[in-house]
């Protein structure tokens, strides 16, 4: 069964460093998403991406964040200068069409020291 | 904010049916009810969704009341691996946004 994959599973970084989280969505999907979950809190929407551009973003998704689909298979989330409060699980999701079911990856646990 | 209300936690005996309720009294006509679950900080896992008819798949059944103001997710024979946080999410089809808005969900603890 097709699934969303994410790498790395864990990432530890120093405050101020740049990190790139990678996702491989389900192959025939067209819509891509990033969510995050701070430990003990709700899953929060960050951004949705379609046709090589951001279709929606939340207030959390400020200028420190960017997304990219560098090739036909990967979808990345970049945090330019990490802060302590960026420590969270980051989940990638994809859907075939925008209104169809979103399928989530296993997540990347980011720890900013 | 989430447009659904769920109990914070529930217990269920292994092998018995788990019935998880959800209130969505402000649901509108074009909003679907989705259920996801999250097992211990893993990625949310899609379970089932429906509009107004009851739905069943290999994982669960979804019962939606006639007025659509509430629904129940049924896991027919709960196992220990069903211990998770279950999220009920209402989501419009045909609206301006695709995002899922997660609440705090129900922590289902399946007891041996």
């Amino acid at each position: 069964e097709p699934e969303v994959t994410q790498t790395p599973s864990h990432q530890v970084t120093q405050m101020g460093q740049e990190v790139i989280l990678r996702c491989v969505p389900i192959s025939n999907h067209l819509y891509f998403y990033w969510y995050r979950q701070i430990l003990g809190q709700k899953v929060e929407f960050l951004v949705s991406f379609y046709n090589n551009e951001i279709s929606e973003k939340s207030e959390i998704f400020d200028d420190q964040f960017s997304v990219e689909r560098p090739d036909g298979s990967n979808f990345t989330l970049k945090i330019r200068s990490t802060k302590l409060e960026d420590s969270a699980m980051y989940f990638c999701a994809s859907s075939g069409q925008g209104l169809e079911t979103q399928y989530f990856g296993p997540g990347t646990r980011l720890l900013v020291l | 904010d989430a447009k659904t209300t769920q109990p914070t936690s529930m217990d269920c005996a292994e092998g018995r049916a788990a019935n998880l309720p959800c209130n969505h009294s402000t649901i509108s006509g074009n909003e679907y009810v989705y259920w996801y679950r999250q097992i211990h900080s893993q990625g949310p896992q899609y379970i089932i969704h429906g509009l107004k008819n009851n739905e069943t798949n290999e994982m669960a059944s979804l019962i939606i009341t006639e007025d659509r103001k509430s629904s129940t997710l049924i896991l027919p024979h709960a196992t220990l691996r069903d211990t998770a946080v279950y999220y009920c999410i209402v989501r419009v089809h045909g609206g301006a946004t695709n995002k899922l808005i997660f609440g705090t969900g129900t922590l289902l603890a399946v007891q041996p």
Side-chain angles (χ1 to χ4, degrees):
Chain A
E1 183 176 318
E3 59 183 18
V4 177
T5 60
Q6 291 185 241
T7 55
S9 58
H10 294 78
Q11 173 107 33
V12 180
T13 190
Q14 296 292 323
M15 189 171 55
Q17 294 296 304
E18 174 184 286
V19 295
I20 298 176
L21 309 183
R22 291 181 169 80
C23 168
V24 178
I26 294 173
S27 63
N28 61 346
H29 281 184
L30 301 176
Y31 286 79
F32 315 111
Y33 312 84
W34 285 100
Y35 292 78
R36 81 170 186 189
Q37 186 176 33
I38 295 170
L39 186 63
Q41 298 188 21
K42 300 177 188 178
V43 177
E44 302 173 287
F45 168 80
L46 292 178
V47 65
S48 60
F49 189 87
Y50 170 71
N51 200 25
N52 282 320
E53 61 182 26
I54 291 173
S55 49
E56 186 177 5
K57 62 183 181 179
S58 71
E59 291 179 354
I60 303 167
F61 195 87
D62 61 22
D63 292 344
Q64 293 299 312
F65 292 87
S66 63
V67 289
E68 190 179 30
R69 188 155 163 82
D71 53 40
S73 60
N74 289 284
F75 179 52
T76 62
L77 174 69
K78 181 192 291 187
I79 309 174
R80 289 191 183 82
S81 178
T82 50
K83 306 182 183 73
L84 296 177
E85 55 264 36
D86 294 328
S87 295
M89 284 289 290
Y90 288 81
F91 298 110
C92 174
S94 69
S95 64
Q97 295 293 329
L99 302 175
E100 289 184 1
T101 300
Q102 294 178 29
Y103 294 91
F104 285 76
T108 294
R109 184 177 298 279
L110 176 65
L111 178 61
V112 182
L113 302 177
Chain B
D1 290 334
K3 297 172 64 175
T4 63
T5 304
Q6 300 178 250
T8 302
S9 63
M10 293 182 64
D11 288 346
C12 177
E14 189 178 18
R16 304 297 293 269
N19 297 278
L20 293 97
C22 179
N23 285 320
H24 30 80
S25 58
T26 60
I27 195 169
S28 57
N30 62 349
E31 285 184 315
Y32 285 68
V33 180
Y34 276 76
W35 284 84
Y36 282 80
R37 73 181 182 183
Q38 189 175 25
I39 298 172
H40 191 54
S41 294
Q42 296 179 21
Q45 179 188 21
Y46 167 75
I47 302 173
I48 199 167
H49 74 281
L51 182 62
K52 54 182 178 181
N53 297 323
N54 298 337
E55 302 288 340
T56 295
N57 63 20
E58 64 279 3
M59 289 184 68
S61 295
L62 174 60
I63 308 297
I64 302 174
T65 58
E66 192 169 342
D67 65 7
R68 304 210 321 122
K69 293 185 177 184
S70 65
S71 60
T72 301
L73 179 75
I74 301 173
L75 307 179
H77 306 287
T79 71
L80 298 178
R81 285 179 291 184
D82 292 321
T83 293
V85 178
Y86 287 77
Y87 300 101
C88 170
I89 300 170
V90 296
R91 181 183 174 216
V92 65
H93 280 202
T97 178
N98 299 334
K99 66 184 178 187
L100 295 173
I101 301 175
F102 287 82
T104 52
T106 296
L107 173 58
L108 175 69
V110 181
Q111 310 289 347

